[in-house]
Amino acid sequence: MENIYLPHSAIVKEIISETADIKTFRLTFEDERLQKSFTYLAGQFVEFSVYGVGEAPFCLASSPTRPGQIECTIKKMGKVTQAIHDLEVGDQVGIRGPYGNGFPLKELRGKNLVLVGGGIGLAPLRSLIQNVLDKRDEYGDVLIIYGAKSTEELVYQKELEEWENSPRVKMVLTVDPGGEDQKWQGEIGFVPTILEKVNPSPDNRMLITCGPPIMIRYVLLGATGEMGYRPQQIITTLEMKMKCGLGKCGRCNIGRVYICKDGPVFTYQQLKDLGNEF
Amino acid sequence: MRKGDRLKEKIIQKEQIGKWLEKLGKDYEIWAPVKRNGLVLFHPISSAKEVYFNFLNSKKTPKDLFFPQSEVLFSFPKEEIEKEVETILQKPRIVFAIRPCDARSLALLDQVFDSEDYQDPYYIERREGTLLVGLACTHPQQSCFCTSVGGGPFAKAHLDLLMADLGDGKYFVEALTERGEGLLEKNDSLQEPQKKDREKLAKIKEEAEEKVKSKLVTKGLEKKLDKIFDSSLWDRVHQRCLGCGICTYLCPTCHCFALLDEKDKARVERIRNWDSCMFPEFTVEASGHNPRISNRERMRQRVMHKFNYFVERYGETACVGCGRCIQSCPVNMDIREIIEEIRNE
């Protein structure tokens, strides 16, 4: 019987410093066969082990359309993320997964998309954005609204430019008031405010959002308010304290679902049906 | 014993049990209720003399035998890992004199640990390697309510054998599985049950069922809970609770756990420990955000999980009515009263 708790050994191949406290880690499995066969869906996550410190779940920030790329973007927050930030290229870590449901690409195909991200919340959206851009013909117009507290806290800065230059992609970048610097040419304001200002039409469009809980809350309220989005048109990916990632340890149970196994991606309609634990 | 003999129902003389267990002990590790320091717990035994037959139920549930309170899942360096899973059990085991409620709880845990999508090898290895010899409850306690949640003091479900003390120096034994029959075959002093034995069995069964005085109405409870997530009832029912978590630790169906690493110079161990939804840290995220911020939300989670979420997911209530949470609560919280309040809400 396969041991579902046992991580596969992986090596840190590259570390990209995104901000003062956010780094992207590119990983390769030690087992070459696994490295070749490892597949996942945009929006899924892995359990990342630093042996001796612990294990924590992180979304895959890379896209399955780019085989061999296994990347996690991680903010230094607690014990495990501190240890991850202390890793160096060549270090061995443990990875198990992928887990969770991922984004419903079938439902997104043929539609216009608006991706609304805040801070490190762009990580799961990046997986989807890369996926969409690699299959550009399958999707409609793409609007990306991304914000962070300050200009220094925007992640994937180089890649943001690439996205902006892709066909039928519009980018709107924003920083919280007071987070701008002299060179800043983007918007100034909180993400939900900027979303309402840009006001993308809900016609044949899906809105996908990820960010801090307070941002998600106001994006959901704003979009379903005057902007006219139906809750079924809005998708978010949730975080919750997790341990096993397998629907067993009980921690991420919210309402009748386990975030790890039934999520982490839900429509706003599904969340509403869960009761107001969020 | 001739081949083809039905071994279904037999009588064992009380004084023969020692011999039988001794014989079984050659092939199996036998765990039975043992009284030590005033506590009845399941322990491995080497002689039938150690078995404490007059127990009502064990303080801790035998779930520990399948899902230990703390266990090393694996360690690094990696070479040692696979070996550890395969040698969890040195010998097949028998849990002797397990109560029907506790046997039923294992079937509920099976749903979680042996689910279609992910199978927990540690749990399954132990479960498959263990036979359950039940001992019917002739003396249910004030806190018992098994008959309200689909069980009963003589319930046979999920057992390999069920024994019942007829009170006259005899045990009525029924084999419920092939493996259970195999255990009976090891006993060469079995007798055929007589009419009066069967009558006695029916009588003590009826008496035992009558002794389960608590009658909870759980019908419709799941639907009711759907409607009262935001009710002020939750503001009331948690008030007395200290959040100590004893109810979850002694519950035979609670299965929440934590995974953590421990390290010394030589190696790293990944350890699984029981955890509890009643603890504030259970859901605290690294950011400090806690979706279940107070005891109110945690109490609601415990009740909802047992009587609503689990029912929806697996079709059964995650409570077997053993009453341990009622007996051991330091502030006399009683799940039966909470259910009653919910029904009246």
Side-chain angles (χ1 to χ4, degrees), chain A residues 139-189:
Chain A
Y139 302 89
D141 292 342
V142 174
L143 167 65
I144 300 167
I145 299 174
Y146 174 54
K149 273 188 199 140
S150 68
T151 54
E152 287 123 42
E153 285 170 81
L154 293 161
V155 296
Y156 310 132
Q157 299 222 4
K158 257 197 210 152
E159 210 171 338
L160 296 177
E161 284 174 35
E162 274 174 45
W163 295 347
E164 183 151 31
N165 297 325
S166 303
R168 290 182 293 131
V169 175
K170 190 183 164 196
M171 289 275 299
V172 179
L173 296 179
T174 184
V175 292
D176 291 354
E180 71 274 20
D181 59 19
Q182 287 176 340
K183 292 179 292 181
W184 182 245
Q185 292 179 341
E187 299 280 344
I188 297 170

Side-chain angles (χ1 to χ4, degrees), chain A:
Chain A
M1 199 184 312
E2 190 204 341
N3 190 342
I4 52 175
Y5 297 102
L6 198 62
H8 299 285
S9 180
I11 301 294
V12 178
K13 283 288 173 190
E14 196 183 340
I15 302 171
I16 302 145
S17 202
E18 303 282 356
T19 72
D21 60 359
I22 298 175
K23 288 179 181 176
T24 297
F25 297 83
R26 180 173 288 193
L27 307 164
T28 309
F29 287 109
E30 277 201 303
D31 178 346
E32 279 177 30
R33 270 192 314 187
L34 177 63
Q35 175 65 19
K36 277 194 187 129
S37 64
F38 186 77
T39 52
Y40 58 94
L41 303 166
Q44 285 192 301
F45 68 94
V46 291
E47 288 282 351
F48 193 130
S49 283
V50 178
Y51 298 128
V53 182
E55 192 177 43
F58 300 100
C59 74
L60 287 156
S62 46
S63 166
T65 50
R66 301 178 188 184
Q69 280 197 19
I70 303 161
E71 291 175 7
C72 292
T73 300
I74 294 166
K75 184 169 180 159
K76 198 158 66 177
M77 291 296 287
K79 193 176 72 171
V80 175
T81 51
Q82 175 67 61
I84 292 174
H85 271 249
D86 291 342
L87 291 170
E88 290 172 10
V89 170
D91 282 349
Q92 189 195 46
V93 298
I95 297 288
R96 57 186 179 92
Y99 299 121
N101 57 355
F103 291 109
L105 292 182
K106 257 190 201 162
E107 284 171 47
L108 301 182
R109 277 194 197 113
K111 299 213 172 84
N112 300 318
L113 305 176
V114 52
L115 297 118
V116 185
I120 182 94
L122 190 60
L125 300 182
R126 178 194 187 224
S127 176
L128 180 62
I129 292 167
Q130 288 188 351
N131 196 314
V132 167
L133 295 182
D134 290 346
K135 308 257 174 188
R136 194 65 200 87
D137 299 342
E138 295 177 14
Y139 302 89
D141 292 342
V142 174
L143 167 65
I144 300 167
I145 299 174
Y146 174 54
K149 273 188 199 140
S150 68
T151 54
E152 287 123 42
E153 285 170 81
L154 293 161
V155 296
Y156 310 132
Q157 299 222 4
K158 257 197 210 152
E159 210 171 338
L160 296 177
E161 284 174 35
E162 274 174 45
W163 295 347
E164 183 151 31
N165 297 325
S166 303
R168 290 182 293 131
V169 175
K170 190 183 164 196
M171 289 275 299
V172 179
L173 296 179
T174 184
V175 292
D176 291 354
E180 71 274 20
D181 59 19
Q182 287 176 340
K183 292 179 292 181
W184 182 245
Q185 292 179 341
E187 299 280 344
I188 297 170
F190 296 110
V191 169
T193 319
I194 302 303
L195 170 66
E196 287 189 51
K197 189 176 150 191
V198 179
N199 196 14
S201 147
D203 289 347
N204 192 36
R205 192 182 289 274
M206 295 289 281
L207 186 153
I208 305 105
T209 185
C210 185
I214 186 85
M215 184 208 91
I216 295 183
R217 187 183 147 88
Y218 284 101
V219 166
L220 297 178
L221 290 175
T224 50
E226 280 185 13
M227 293 175 66
Y229 282 77
R230 285 175 293 119
Q232 299 91 319
Q233 278 178 283
I234 305 176
I235 290 167
T236 185
T237 166
L238 295 179
E239 277 208 341
M240 178 106 186
K241 176 91 168 180
M242 289 178 199
K243 287 284 180 186
C244 73
L246 307 160
K248 304 201 188 299
C249 80
R251 206 164 300 266
C252 70
N253 177 216
I254 282 275
R256 54 184 54 85
V257 304
Y258 287 97
I259 303 295
C260 68
K261 153 163 144 168
D262 304 309
V265 176
F266 295 96
T267 66
Y268 184 28
Q269 184 61 51
Q270 287 170 321
L271 294 185
K272 287 179 117 168
D273 295 342
L274 282 184
N276 71 354
E277 184 124 39
F278 266 99

Side-chain angles (χ1 to χ4, degrees), chain A residues 251, chain B residues 60-71 113 248-251 254-260 271-276 279 282:
Chain A
R251 206 164 300 266
Chain B
K60 267 177 91 179
T61 80
K63 112 181 146 182
D64 231 354
L65 273 70
F66 304 89
F67 169 42
Q69 185 167 347
S70 182
E71 79 174 303
F113 289 113
T248 56
Y249 271 66
L250 296 182
C251 176
C254 276
H255 58 267
C256 287
F257 61 82
L259 297 169
L260 53 97
I271 295 168
R272 162 157 71 183
N273 291 333
W274 290 356
D275 206 340
S276 170
F279 296 159
F282 187 63

